[in-house]
Amino acid sequence: MTDMKDDVGRIEWRIRVDDNGSSDQVLAPESGPVNGFRRALKCLIANKFILGLWMFLEKVWHLGNDDPRKVIHCLKVGIALSLVSLFYYMRPLYDGVGGTAMWAVMTVVVVFEYTVGATISKCLNRATGTCLAGLLALGIHWVASKSGDKFEPIITGASLFVLASAATFSRFIPAVKKRFDYGAMIFILTFSLVSVSGYRVEKLFDMAKQRSSTIIIGTSLCILTSMLVFPIWAGQELHCLITRNMEKLAKSLECCVAEYFDDGEKTTNDSVKNLLAYKCVLNSKATEESMANFARWEPAHGNFNFQHPWNQYLKIGASMRDCAYCIEALKSCIPHKNQASKSMKKHLSDICHKVNSISSFILRELAINLETKKKSSNMSISIEEMNTSVQELKNYLKSLPGLVLTPRSTATSETIISSERDHKTEPLILTSNNSIPLVEVIPLVTFASLLIEIPARIEAIVDAVEELANKAEFKLAPDDKPKQNEQNIKNVTEQLNLHEKTMKTLESV
Amino acid sequence: MTDMKDDVGRIEWRIRVDDNGSSDQVLAPESGPVNGFRRALKCLIANKFILGLWMFLEKVWHLGNDDPRKVIHCLKVGIALSLVSLFYYMRPLYDGVGGTAMWAVMTVVVVFEYTVGATISKCLNRATGTCLAGLLALGIHWVASKSGDKFEPIITGASLFVLASAATFSRFIPAVKKRFDYGAMIFILTFSLVSVSGYRVEKLFDMAKQRSSTIIIGTSLCILTSMLVFPIWAGQELHCLITRNMEKLAKSLECCVAEYFDDGEKTTNDSVKNLLAYKCVLNSKATEESMANFARWEPAHGNFNFQHPWNQYLKIGASMRDCAYCIEALKSCIPHKNQASKSMKKHLSDICHKVNSISSFILRELAINLETKKKSSNMSISIEEMNTSVQELKNYLKSLPGLVLTPRSTATSETIISSERDHKTEPLILTSNNSIPLVEVIPLVTFASLLIEIPARIEAIVDAVEELANKAEFKLAPDDKPKQNEQNIKNVTEQLNLHEKTMKTLESV
């Protein structure tokens, strides 16, 4: 790496020298051919293409360096392909399956995916699609061959047209699309190949047998490689994605409130990053759905059973997105923070910080519960605390005096007071000195009422997580000392940072 | 269709009868065999499986009925497959390309996509990937064959491992992933097939020639079919998606404000649907991105040039999502609408409606501008109007009297008044009768300040659309009479409703 950086430095330096090309010539009056060579070299290096290529390679290097699992996945593909190509290189195996060995190679290339679940799903789809289509094509071929030379091409052609159209249409049906899209495509592919070659090739049954055996070889090789060599489980990834997103929500919420009540301090890059962490939650819907879809195919792994309620994670994700929308609105208050009355802000600050800290504590606690697959008995207490703090905030807002909607009185104060005395109510006297214009109060109460909305949405997340805990039979945490939890938070944060990088991969896949 | 509904009704009726089976028997004491037959029939019909199948078929029917373009797409796939299978059925063509005709069939199945852009993108990827991989594999095969029997399998195997791993890794690079993912897969596929069969099959050049010719046949057939038979352009779809989403934002915004100031009336299903229309905008990011990506490959069509600035649509989409987040927050105010002070609500109602109507007018106007690809000269006037109305709302909020933060005075009124007189300010006297508790004001000002935020976000949309208009060289609308625009709104709405159904397809694809 240091070598690389040095090189970049050198290239930049050379370009800078090249920009001042004329002075360069004065400084180094060299002999003709050497000078020409140097110039050519400089041109070559200064060339934008090479620099672009260099930067591209650097990016690629970082991509692999940030997440070695990507590199491992690539090596796994290489291993699987090398294994399957042994069928070609080794004579006994080659004679066994013959020329159709290419189907095994093709299967490996097409079916091998980043996660185990995706690979299994594609393998099953491929196998099922091929078998169904093969059987159907053979049946139709048999019927067609019985119906005479005249009708044979008509029957084959018509069945191809109808079944291909129908299978294509089935790919539009959401339920099919979600799980069997690839299978439907393979169905069309196999059906058209078999029915079309059935007209010419006579050894249809042999072909079917060979093709299915090669597909079985290919798929089993893929499944074994992806499950045995550094497996990447879609379920585990989904679990980590949700846990990590919960951490991010907590971080964003904390930053948002801190930023709002923080006076004039310059925001660092790091705090901006934390503030915008919730955006990941907004954009992770598609990733969550595909992960949950793949996880369903995976066998028991880690602490997850075969029928782990993966769909429940989607519900948690949806409620987290609801919470993130609210944080988005909260964030949009920050630019107006200086319009708010400072004295009132001071009053509100403590109580808002309290709501904020208990809310983000709950989010972090939930993340820990998910991560450790434990039910926390403290959760209901925390929620009560959160609701109490929200109530405090509401009470504070309620305790603020009222607004007067009557126009500024033009009568003298005496007469008003006498009329008030008639009503026997104690009059309150205001001056502009000790009153705050409503326009300075508005930004604060907007912020406060959005902040009040957040705990309600967090409760929805808690409910969704609890439902998951019940369905997946999470156990009660043995010891719920708050101090231990704080340690847990640190540990989980570290673990999550490790996973964070790899999840970026999945989001981009 | 009416028949179908009748049938469903009958089935439901029969099941209900079946539930009260005992009374049924009493009512109809029939002879043995008839009764048995009836029971068997009832069992059959009541069977959940059949009912499920029936409902599934009904859904499928609706799917096709709602969007005939899906059906057309399926027929197009059928046509393309039938055409390509002619190469098998017709002897002269078959003799031309021989057994490799299956590659043409495979190309059609794999490459044919819903939109023209997607098809072209896949075709180009497939052709490029195949050519590159084929040339590289031939080169390596030549080198390997020169290096002796001992090294040949080592060189072939090592190159397969290295290149397959490298190409797999390239699929993780975002830029490659976005446009050349399929090409990279085809590269691996072709390279492994050629390099692996090169070891056995001697006629490598013949194979390469045949394969490339069949791929050319397959891809050109796909491109021609998708472009000539009822073409579905990704660019057109993206354009309509953005326009339609803008309409939806306008609708949601209108409904939201109307709902907030509407007292106690029951919400109809239709208004709930309109209120939640903005959710489509929140979830359309992935669709927009893939459409823009495909549209880039499309030739000039309709009113779009080849290099239409499709990326700008993504910017418009992003700013629309920002606006949708704000509407989400606005919507979350609705449950608290009854906590707001009624008298103040009445005061605010008019001005909020004004902000709302001009904001949604601008959104609709933008939708029309996009749809008709015209610049409206009225836009700047409308925006000024919007800003004026926002300023009015702000002024109204400013005009509201201030809040008193001093605790309720315990001194007698006289002493306070005398102290006030010293300050020479005119005192204001309040009673609880004509003041509104702040807690009733908060929901309203929260709503109002969120509503103030929306025009700022709409302006961002206007800017993005204007940038598009400049880049794509939209022309000035010849006549900008407001009445005509209203007519246009109706027309566009109708057109958009037509497109709406088809876009659902794309979102699900």
Side-chain angles (χ1 to χ4, degrees):
Chain A
M1 269 308 289
T2 46
D3 284 2
M4 281 180 146
K5 275 178 190 164
D6 284 346
D7 276 356
V8 173
R10 220 171 296 147
I11 288 167
E12 276 171 9
W13 178 80
R14 276 180 198 172
I15 292 162
R16 235 173 280 138
V17 167
D18 201 53
D19 286 343
N20 309 322
S22 51
S23 63
D24 187 31
Q25 268 192 334
V26 176
L27 283 169
E30 279 167 6
S31 57
V34 175
N35 207 3
F37 174 69
R38 271 197 58 193
R39 264 192 223 163
L41 197 73
K42 272 194 281 177
C43 280
L44 198 72
I45 294 171
N47 195 319
K48 272 192 182 177
F49 171 75
I50 292 187
L51 200 67
L53 189 75
W54 182 258
M55 279 164 70
F56 175 77
L57 286 179
E58 227 187 355
K59 261 187 207 164
V60 169
W61 172 264
H62 283 301
L63 200 70
N65 211 27
D66 285 352
D67 184 7
R69 290 208 292 178
K70 281 177 189 165
V71 181
I72 291 174
H73 171 69
C74 299
L75 297 181
K76 276 159 75 178
V77 173
I79 291 170
L81 264 180
S82 305
L83 283 178
V84 84
S85 66
L86 282 182
F87 281 86
Y88 262 85
Y89 296 131
M90 287 159 75
R91 185 153 290 280
L93 291 174
Y94 182 77
D95 292 342
V97 293
T100 53
M102 63 160 256
W103 286 109
V105 176
M106 194 177 252
T107 304
V108 170
V109 174
V110 174
V111 146
F112 207 101
E113 293 277 332
Y114 189 62
T115 58
V116 179
T119 309
I120 294 178
S121 147
K122 270 199 151 180
C123 284
L124 289 181
N125 263 303
R126 192 174 178 96
T128 320
T130 307
C131 289
L132 272 182
L135 288 176
L136 207 61
L138 286 182
I140 288 173
H141 182 70
W142 182 79
V143 170
S145 65
K146 295 279 167 197
S147 55
D149 275 359
K150 210 176 161 185
F151 289 105
E152 197 177 338
I154 295 174
I155 290 178
T156 324
S159 68
L160 177 64
F161 184 88
V162 170
L163 274 166
S165 301
T168 307
F169 190 78
S170 79
R171 293 174 73 187
F172 287 120
I173 302 167
V176 176
K177 162 115 214 105
K178 202 171 145 198
R179 297 207 206 167
F180 307 111
D181 189 56
Y182 184 66
M185 198 184 80
I186 290 295
F187 177 88
I188 306 173
L189 180 64
T190 310
F191 184 81
S192 32
L193 284 185
V194 174
S195 86
V196 149
S197 25
Y199 194 60
R200 295 278 162 200
V201 185
E202 259 55 61
K203 297 172 187 168
L204 251 187
F205 274 97
D206 264 11
M207 184 183 140
K209 213 180 71 187
Q210 277 183 345
R211 219 199 130 180
S212 52
S213 66
T214 47
I215 282 184
I216 288 167
I217 292 170
T219 49
S220 46
L221 204 77
C222 282
I223 292 177
L224 286 178
T225 315
S226 73
M227 273 174 65
L228 299 182
V229 188
F230 294 101
I232 297 161
W233 303 97
Q236 180 72 43
E237 299 295 318
L238 174 64
H239 189 86
C240 286
L241 175 67
I242 294 284
T243 323
R244 190 166 45 86
N245 277 351
M246 226 169 255
E247 281 277 315
K248 281 186 179 170
L249 272 190
K251 234 188 238 173
S252 270
L253 182 59
E254 268 177 355
C255 269
C256 213
V257 176
E259 181 79 25
Y260 193 83
F261 288 105
D262 187 34
D263 286 323
E265 307 274 303
K266 267 199 176 176
T267 50
T268 60
N269 262 345
D270 214 44
S271 75
V272 168
K273 206 183 125 201
N274 283 343
L275 188 62
L276 297 178
Y278 72 94
K279 293 229 180 228
C280 293
V281 184
L282 292 178
N283 295 330
S284 66
K285 194 184 176 212
T287 317
E288 283 167 19
E289 274 171 8
S290 71
M291 284 296 123
N293 200 20
F294 293 143
R296 214 166 283 139
W297 302 94
E298 286 174 352
H301 60 273
N303 296 317
F304 304 103
N305 297 325
F306 174 55
Q307 291 220 309
H308 194 74
W310 298 114
N311 267 338
Q312 190 58 33
Y313 285 88
L314 298 183
K315 285 188 196 164
I316 299 176
S319 52
M320 272 162 61
R321 258 188 301 287
D322 272 353
C323 189
Y325 295 143
C326 220
I327 293 180
E328 222 277 344
L330 207 61
K331 199 204 78 183
S332 71
C333 292
I334 292 178
H336 312 299
K337 68 174 178 180
N338 291 328
Q339 292 163 21
S341 135
K342 288 213 170 140
S343 60
M344 203 177 154
K345 210 166 157 183
K346 252 184 209 162
H347 277 94
L348 261 176
S349 170
D350 282 348
I351 195 157
C352 281
H353 273 303
K354 198 175 166 192
V355 174
N356 167 35
S357 63
I358 179 78
S359 299
S360 32
F361 174 77
I362 287 180
L363 282 176
R364 279 178 216 273
E365 179 101 345
L366 271 185
I368 292 168
N369 287 355
L370 261 183
E371 183 67 23
T372 54
K373 295 211 203 64
K374 292 272 190 295
K375 271 189 214 176
S376 156
S377 54
N378 283 343
M379 190 49 82
S380 54
I381 302 171
S382 305
I383 288 179
E384 239 169 68
E385 247 179 80
M386 179 171 76
N387 288 339
T388 316
S389 67
V390 168
Q391 200 52 49
E392 264 177 58
L393 180 54
K394 279 184 183 168
N395 287 344
Y396 175 77
L397 293 176
K398 267 184 199 163
S399 76
L400 291 172
L403 260 193
V404 187
L405 275 187
T406 47
R408 271 182 169 263
S409 159
T410 48
T412 63
S413 50
E414 253 88 352
T415 54
I416 295 174
I417 287 169
S418 61
S419 72
E420 290 309 322
R421 277 184 183 149
D422 295 342
H423 284 95
K424 290 184 184 171
T425 51
E426 198 191 27
L428 238 175
I429 297 172
L430 310 184
T431 67
S432 49
N433 280 357
N434 58 355
S435 82
I436 304 170
L438 188 67
V439 80
E440 289 185 9
V441 178
I442 290 174
L444 272 174
V445 296
T446 305
F447 186 83
S449 45
L450 286 172
L451 193 62
I452 289 172
E453 180 74 17
I454 283 178
R457 302 203 176 191
I458 287 179
E459 256 189 276
I461 304 179
V462 173
D463 289 345
V465 173
E466 238 160 50
E467 209 182 321
L468 173 71
N470 291 336
K471 280 185 183 168
E473 293 167 10
F474 284 4
K475 284 186 186 106
L476 263 178
D479 195 4
D480 270 330
K481 285 175 193 160
K483 273 190 186 175
Q484 197 192 340
N485 279 356
E486 270 166 35
Q487 186 53 39
N488 281 351
I489 289 181
K490 273 184 198 162
N491 293 344
V492 168
T493 314
E494 275 161 27
Q495 280 178 39
L496 286 171
N497 283 341
L498 271 177
H499 275 294
E500 186 149 349
K501 287 167 186 170
T502 45
M503 281 310 301
K504 276 183 197 157
T505 319
L506 286 164
E507 277 158 27
S508 71
V509 164
Chain B
M1 269 310 289
T2 45
D3 284 4
M4 279 181 147
K5 274 179 190 161
D6 284 347
D7 277 354
V8 174
R10 219 172 296 146
I11 289 166
E12 275 169 8
W13 177 81
R14 278 183 197 168
I15 292 160
R16 234 172 280 138
V17 167
D18 201 53
D19 286 341
N20 309 320
S22 50
S23 65
D24 186 31
Q25 269 194 331
V26 177
L27 283 168
E30 279 168 4
S31 59
V34 175
N35 208 1
F37 175 68
R38 269 196 57 193
R39 263 193 222 164
L41 198 72
K42 273 193 283 178
C43 281
L44 199 73
I45 294 171
N47 194 316
K48 271 192 183 176
F49 173 74
I50 293 187
L51 199 68
L53 190 75
W54 183 259
M55 279 165 70
F56 176 77
L57 286 179
E58 226 188 356
K59 262 188 207 165
V60 169
W61 172 264
H62 283 303
L63 200 71
N65 211 26
D66 284 353
D67 184 7
R69 290 208 290 178
K70 281 176 189 165
V71 181
I72 292 174
H73 170 69
C74 299
L75 297 180
K76 276 159 76 178
V77 173
I79 292 170
L81 264 180
S82 306
L83 283 178
V84 85
S85 66
L86 281 183
F87 281 88
Y88 262 86
Y89 296 131
M90 287 160 75
R91 185 152 289 281
L93 290 173
Y94 182 78
D95 292 341
V97 291
T100 52
M102 62 158 257
W103 288 108
V105 176
M106 192 177 253
T107 305
V108 170
V109 174
V110 174
V111 147
F112 208 101
E113 293 277 331
Y114 189 62
T115 59
V116 179
T119 309
I120 294 179
S121 149
K122 270 200 151 178
C123 284
L124 289 180
N125 264 302
R126 192 176 177 94
T128 320
T130 307
C131 289
L132 273 181
L135 288 176
L136 207 61
L138 286 182
I140 287 173
H141 181 70
W142 182 80
V143 170
S145 66
K146 295 279 168 196
S147 55
D149 277 358
K150 207 174 164 189
F151 289 106
E152 199 178 336
I154 295 174
I155 291 179
T156 325
S159 68
L160 176 65
F161 184 87
V162 170
L163 275 166
S165 301
T168 306
F169 189 79
S170 81
R171 294 173 75 186
F172 286 120
I173 302 167
V176 176
K177 162 115 215 105
K178 202 171 146 197
R179 298 206 206 169
F180 307 111
D181 189 55
Y182 183 66
M185 198 184 79
I186 290 296
F187 177 89
I188 306 173
L189 180 63
T190 310
F191 184 82
S192 33
L193 285 185
V194 174
S195 85
V196 150
S197 26
Y199 195 62
R200 296 279 160 199
V201 185
E202 259 54 62
K203 296 172 188 171
L204 250 187
F205 274 97
D206 264 10
M207 183 184 142
K209 215 178 69 185
Q210 278 183 344
R211 218 198 132 181
S212 53
S213 66
T214 46
I215 281 184
I216 289 168
I217 292 170
T219 50
S220 46
L221 204 77
C222 281
I223 292 177
L224 286 178
T225 317
S226 73
M227 273 173 67
L228 299 180
V229 188
F230 294 102
I232 296 160
W233 303 96
Q236 180 74 43
E237 299 296 319
L238 174 63
H239 189 86
C240 286
L241 174 68
I242 294 284
T243 324
R244 191 167 45 85
N245 276 351
M246 227 170 255
E247 282 277 316
K248 281 186 179 170
L249 272 190
K251 236 188 236 171
S252 270
L253 182 58
E254 268 177 355
C255 270
C256 211
V257 176
E259 181 80 23
Y260 193 81
F261 289 105
D262 188 33
D263 286 323
E265 306 273 304
K266 268 199 176 175
T267 50
T268 61
N269 261 346
D270 213 44
S271 75
V272 168
K273 205 183 126 201
N274 282 342
L275 188 62
L276 297 178
Y278 72 94
K279 294 232 180 225
C280 293
V281 184
L282 291 179
N283 296 330
S284 65
K285 194 184 176 211
T287 318
E288 283 168 19
E289 273 172 7
S290 72
M291 284 295 123
N293 200 20
F294 293 143
R296 215 167 282 141
W297 302 93
E298 285 174 353
H301 61 272
N303 295 317
F304 305 103
N305 297 325
F306 173 55
Q307 292 220 310
H308 194 74
W310 297 116
N311 267 338
Q312 190 59 32
Y313 285 87
L314 298 183
K315 285 187 197 164
I316 300 176
S319 51
M320 274 162 61
R321 258 189 301 286
D322 272 353
C323 190
Y325 295 143
C326 220
I327 294 180
E328 223 277 345
L330 207 61
K331 200 205 78 184
S332 71
C333 290
I334 292 179
H336 312 299
K337 68 174 178 179
N338 292 327
Q339 292 163 20
S341 134
K342 287 212 171 142
S343 61
M344 203 176 154
K345 209 167 159 184
K346 250 184 209 165
H347 278 93
L348 260 177
S349 170
D350 281 348
I351 196 157
C352 281
H353 273 303
K354 199 175 164 191
V355 173
N356 167 36
S357 63
I358 179 77
S359 299
S360 34
F361 174 77
I362 287 180
L363 283 175
R364 278 178 216 272
E365 179 102 345
L366 272 185
I368 294 168
N369 287 354
L370 262 184
E371 183 68 21
T372 55
K373 294 211 203 67
K374 293 271 190 296
K375 270 188 214 176
S376 156
S377 53
N378 284 342
M379 191 48 84
S380 53
I381 302 170
S382 305
I383 288 179
E384 240 169 67
E385 251 179 78
M386 179 172 76
N387 288 338
T388 317
S389 67
V390 168
Q391 200 53 49
E392 265 176 57
L393 180 55
K394 279 184 184 167
N395 287 343
Y396 175 78
L397 292 176
K398 268 184 199 163
S399 76
L400 290 172
L403 262 192
V404 188
L405 276 188
T406 47
R408 273 182 169 262
S409 158
T410 49
T412 64
S413 50
E414 251 90 353
T415 53
I416 295 174
I417 287 171
S418 62
S419 73
E420 290 309 321
R421 276 183 187 152
D422 294 341
H423 283 93
K424 290 184 182 171
T425 50
E426 198 192 28
L428 238 177
I429 296 173
L430 310 183
T431 66
S432 50
N433 280 357
N434 58 355
S435 82
I436 303 169
L438 188 67
V439 80
E440 288 186 11
V441 178
I442 290 173
L444 272 174
V445 295
T446 305
F447 186 83
S449 45
L450 286 171
L451 193 62
I452 288 172
E453 180 74 16
I454 284 178
R457 303 203 175 190
I458 288 180
E459 257 189 274
I461 305 179
V462 173
D463 289 346
V465 173
E466 238 161 50
E467 208 182 322
L468 173 71
N470 290 336
K471 279 185 183 167
E473 293 168 8
F474 284 4
K475 284 186 186 107
L476 263 178
D479 196 3
D480 270 330
K481 285 175 192 161
K483 274 191 186 174
Q484 198 191 338
N485 279 354
E486 272 166 33
Q487 186 54 41
N488 280 350
I489 288 179
K490 274 183 197 163
N491 292 346
V492 169
T493 314
E494 275 161 26
Q495 281 178 39
L496 287 172
N497 284 340
L498 271 176
H499 275 293
E500 188 150 348
K501 288 166 186 171
T502 45
M503 281 310 300
K504 277 183 196 155
T505 319
L506 286 163
E507 277 158 26
S508 70
V509 164

